[in-house]
Amino acid sequence: MQQKLLRIQAEDKAYISQPSSAEIDSIIHFLEQDRDQKMLSLAYYLAGRVHSDHQETAQALLSYQQSLDLLHPQEELHLHSLIHSQLSSLFLSQQLYDEAMQHILSALRYDEWQHDTTGMIFDLRDIGNIHRSKANNDSCIHYLSRALSLAHHIGDTDMVIDVQSQMAAAYLQTGDIALCRQYIFPALASPDSASIGGIYSIAAEMYRQLGQKDSALFYYRKMEETGNLFSQQEAFKALTTFYLDSGNADEALRYAKRYEEATDSLQEITATETVSRINAMYEHQKQMMENARLREANARKRFVIVGIMATIACLLLLLYALWQKYNYQKTELQLQLKKIKELQQRQATHESKETKYTIDTFHATPIYTRIQQLIDQRNAMNDTDWQQLENAIKQIFPLFMPQLSSVCKLSTQERHVCLLTKADIPPVQIAILTARSKQAINNTRSRLFERTFREKGSPSQWDSFIQTLT
């Protein structure tokens, strides 16, 4: 049994997945009878790895917790680090960022105690990425910089490339294209990297934001060739848009079909992964474990049977709820996109000179003169000013606010930003008139684009959409 356990451990280090949990379960059963706590702790950890490979989230969580319960806090530091790292990954996959952060910080603490530099690099990288998921950009850059410094220090080229690509993604998220370019180019020079699909994705998005369509197209096609299913889905979507914009309907249709196929495949995968949500199962699983320890063998068997039945019932209910939610969101998204498409098609028939005429008409209004005075004085608009602006916009662009309200619910501050954008007021001046920072105005525009189109977008993309409304 010990030989089997060591073989599974070696295969796990070599990223060789087990076909099922049958063998590791038999080893655990033997070690539980033998009461070898050191080997049993390792066996529970490897069981967690097997369950994770098979997307059995709740079972993996239980196995990792069983392993931790057998370990002394000051012993087996490396195994402590591995378990906390895996727990962090499980929680992160369920978007439970606080729980993920708690465990990865524990992993870092154990790696620091044993001076495991490679482990510290992975931990710091993951901490940075959790901060990036929460839009804590300064903290993200701080931890990724520490990881990159350690990777350079030990001369690990693969880790340097990995962390550089994460740095590039972080700077791209903040809109700093220059620093994104600085970090992504070295990563692009290593096409054999295990994360090359993600690297191509960052490069494609960078060039898309720069407006360099040919370069973006090149990397989207690279993603199509070498990326995983997630990268390919992103590439198919981008290529569909590219060919639509260039008027190549046949290619656009081909990639739209491939995008739909990739989306269906991912939905099948994520349905398996998310049916059992960790935050709903965590305390329940721990209670099952504690009860099992206190009962005699026969009583424990009966409890396990009841637990399995209850779990199946919960899973079925969760699956039905997720299915209902998915159908609702899919229908809602289709209606939203249909509305937007109709608005854009309607606007396409208008002549550009007509748009110029309406803008010139607005510039002749008293409220425009008032706005320019406020900008010169660096004063914000008051309630009367906002009412006059809205009335002027309503007269010149009578359908603007009804069209906008039909596709996006607006707060008062968001409504003000949209009115000023429609009035062709630059973002820097909008910040003055609303008594907010330029970054706050940029965040508002990006947030409105994402809420309306259900995808990430730049502030300028929202401005372009605003100008299509009449």
Side-chain angles (χ1 to χ4, degrees), residues 23-40:
E23 186 172 29
I24 191 65
D25 288 343
S26 68
I27 294 172
I28 288 174
H29 179 72
F30 172 82
L31 293 175
E32 285 177 336
Q33 304 301 319
D34 196 46
R35 299 185 182 278
D36 186 339
Q37 289 199 351
K38 184 176 180 180
M39 297 298 291
L40 184 57

Side-chain angles (χ1 to χ4, degrees), residues 3-4 16 47 68 83 91-92 95 105 112 130 143 165 189 229 262 267 276 321 352 394 414 426 432:
Q3 289 176 348
K4 288 182 178 181
I16 299 174
L68 277 180
I83 295 170
F91 284 117
L92 186 59
Q95 299 180 352
L105 287 173
E112 288 174 339
I130 294 172
Y143 283 102
S165 68
L229 192 55
Q267 286 169 350
S276 177
S352 61
K394 184 176 181 180
E414 291 168 345
I432 296 172

Side-chain angles (χ1 to χ4, degrees), residues 219-452:
Y219 286 109
Y220 281 128
R221 285 177 173 159
K222 284 285 189 181
M223 292 164 62
E224 176 186 3
E225 297 169 2
T226 62
N228 58 26
L229 192 55
F230 291 94
S231 295
Q232 288 177 339
Q233 183 200 35
E234 179 185 349
F236 295 152
K237 181 178 181 181
L239 289 168
T240 300
T241 302
F242 174 84
Y243 284 115
L244 276 175
D245 293 342
S246 61
N248 191 337
D250 292 339
E251 282 296 287
L253 179 59
R254 184 169 74 88
Y255 279 108
K257 289 180 179 179
R258 297 189 69 183
Y259 171 75
E260 184 178 6
E261 292 170 357
T263 300
D264 289 342
S265 298
L266 285 173
Q267 286 169 350
E268 291 178 6
I269 294 171
T270 53
T272 302
E273 292 175 345
T274 59
V275 166
S276 177
R277 297 292 290 180
I278 295 181
N279 58 337
M281 296 292 292
Y282 183 68
E283 293 300 329
H284 174 66
Q285 292 287 357
K286 287 195 69 175
Q287 188 61 47
M288 286 178 59
M289 182 179 61
E290 291 300 323
N291 289 341
R293 289 174 178 168
L294 298 175
R295 293 179 180 273
E296 297 295 328
N298 291 336
R300 184 173 67 180
K301 289 179 182 179
R302 289 194 299 271
F303 179 81
V304 168
I305 292 172
V306 172
I308 290 173
M309 293 176 64
T311 301
I312 292 173
C314 291
L315 291 177
L316 289 174
L317 288 173
L318 282 172
L319 181 60
Y320 177 74
L322 288 172
W323 179 76
Q324 290 281 64
K325 181 180 179 182
Y326 166 74
N327 282 337
Y328 173 79
Q329 290 178 338
K330 184 177 180 181
T331 302
E332 185 182 37
L333 178 59
Q334 288 173 342
L335 292 174
Q336 175 86 340
L337 295 178
K338 182 179 179 182
K339 284 183 182 178
I340 293 170
K341 185 176 181 181
E342 289 174 352
L343 292 176
Q344 292 174 331
Q345 288 176 341
R346 190 182 310 157
Q347 177 61 18
T349 61
H350 287 259
E351 295 293 333
S352 61
K353 62 183 181 181
E354 181 180 345
T355 302
K356 184 177 186 303
Y357 169 76
T358 55
I359 289 296
D360 290 342
T361 303
F362 175 77
H363 287 173
T365 62
I367 186 59
Y368 180 76
T369 304
R370 166 68 173 166
I371 286 173
Q372 296 304 312
Q373 292 174 348
L374 290 172
I375 292 171
D376 292 340
Q377 299 167 2
R378 304 192 69 79
N379 289 331
M381 295 173 65
N382 58 35
D383 292 343
T384 302
D385 296 329
W386 288 120
Q387 187 60 53
Q388 292 178 0
L389 172 61
E390 185 158 352
N391 291 340
I393 293 293
K394 184 176 181 180
Q395 291 179 358
I396 300 171
F397 306 98
L399 298 180
F400 170 63
M401 286 310 299
Q403 290 175 346
L404 183 59
S405 299
S406 71
V407 297
C408 183
K409 294 182 179 179
L410 301 172
S411 67
T412 300
Q413 190 263 344
E414 291 168 345
R415 188 183 185 91
H416 291 168
V417 171
C418 291
L419 287 168
L420 289 171
T421 301
K422 187 62 180 175
D424 207 23
I425 304 299
V428 174
Q429 296 178 358
I430 293 176
I432 296 172
L433 296 169
T434 58
R436 283 175 169 77
S437 67
K438 180 183 176 183
Q439 184 60 48
I441 301 303
N442 288 339
N443 291 342
T444 297
R445 292 149 67 210
S446 297
R447 182 172 63 249
L448 285 168
F449 185 93
E450 181 176 355
R451 189 194 308 162
T452 302

Side-chain angles (χ1 to χ4, degrees), residues 68-83:
L68 277 180
D69 287 347
L70 292 177
L71 288 174
H72 188 278
Q74 304 301 324
E75 297 176 355
E76 300 291 334
L77 301 183
H78 183 62
L79 185 54
H80 269 291
S81 171
L82 291 175
I83 295 170

